[in-house]
């Protein structure tokens, strides 16, 4: 599977290296995520996984097509979804 992470940006900070150099870093709150849809070469023509970041979202903020898609997967509280393409283990 392709490397990827779903999360929300919570801020910025800085870290100091041993030589005294300052490095800016982004702070992320990752997960929880759940699989919303599994795409297979037979049904969709390619191999992928669709993940959703599970957080509280007002129902009015999600449109009806996405609400139905998430309800079918049992992930009604997903803030957003992203798709990650699966790579065969033999090519890694």
């Amino acid at each position: 599977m392709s490397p990827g992470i779903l999360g929300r940006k919570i801020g910025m900070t800085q870290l100091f290296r041993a030589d005294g150099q300052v490095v800016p870093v982004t702070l992320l709150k990752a997960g929880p995520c759940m699989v919303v849809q599994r795409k297979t070469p037979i049904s969709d023509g390619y191999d992928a996984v669709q993940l959703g970041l599970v957080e509280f979202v007002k129902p009015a903020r999600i449109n009806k097509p996405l609400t139905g898609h998430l309800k079918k997967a049992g992930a009604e509280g997903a803030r957003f979804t992203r798709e990650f393409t699966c790579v065969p283990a033999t090519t890694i």
Side-chain angles (χ1 to χ4, degrees):
M1 182 182 297
S2 300
I5 187 169
L6 291 181
R8 291 187 55 116
K9 180 178 176 179
I10 59 174
M12 294 289 292
T13 190
Q14 56 189 6
L15 296 177
F16 294 92
R17 291 188 178 172
D19 61 355
Q21 194 175 26
V22 178
V23 180
V25 293
T26 302
L27 301 175
L28 298 175
K29 178 184 176 238
C33 298
M34 80 178 312
V35 176
V36 176
Q37 185 179 14
R38 175 78 169 101
K39 303 208 175 195
T40 60
I42 296 168
S43 63
D44 301 303
Y46 62 102
D47 200 17
V49 174
Q50 191 177 59
L51 297 177
L53 180 68
V54 179
E55 284 187 349
F56 174 74
V57 183
K58 292 180 183 178
R61 297 214 177 249
I62 302 176
N63 61 23
K64 287 188 178 185
L66 185 58
T67 301
H69 181 66
L70 295 174
K71 189 179 229 182
K72 183 178 176 184
E76 296 179 39
R79 180 169 288 277
F80 58 87
T81 60
R82 295 295 183 267
E83 191 170 291
F84 296 98
T85 306
C86 297
V87 178
T90 57
T91 61
I92 295 178

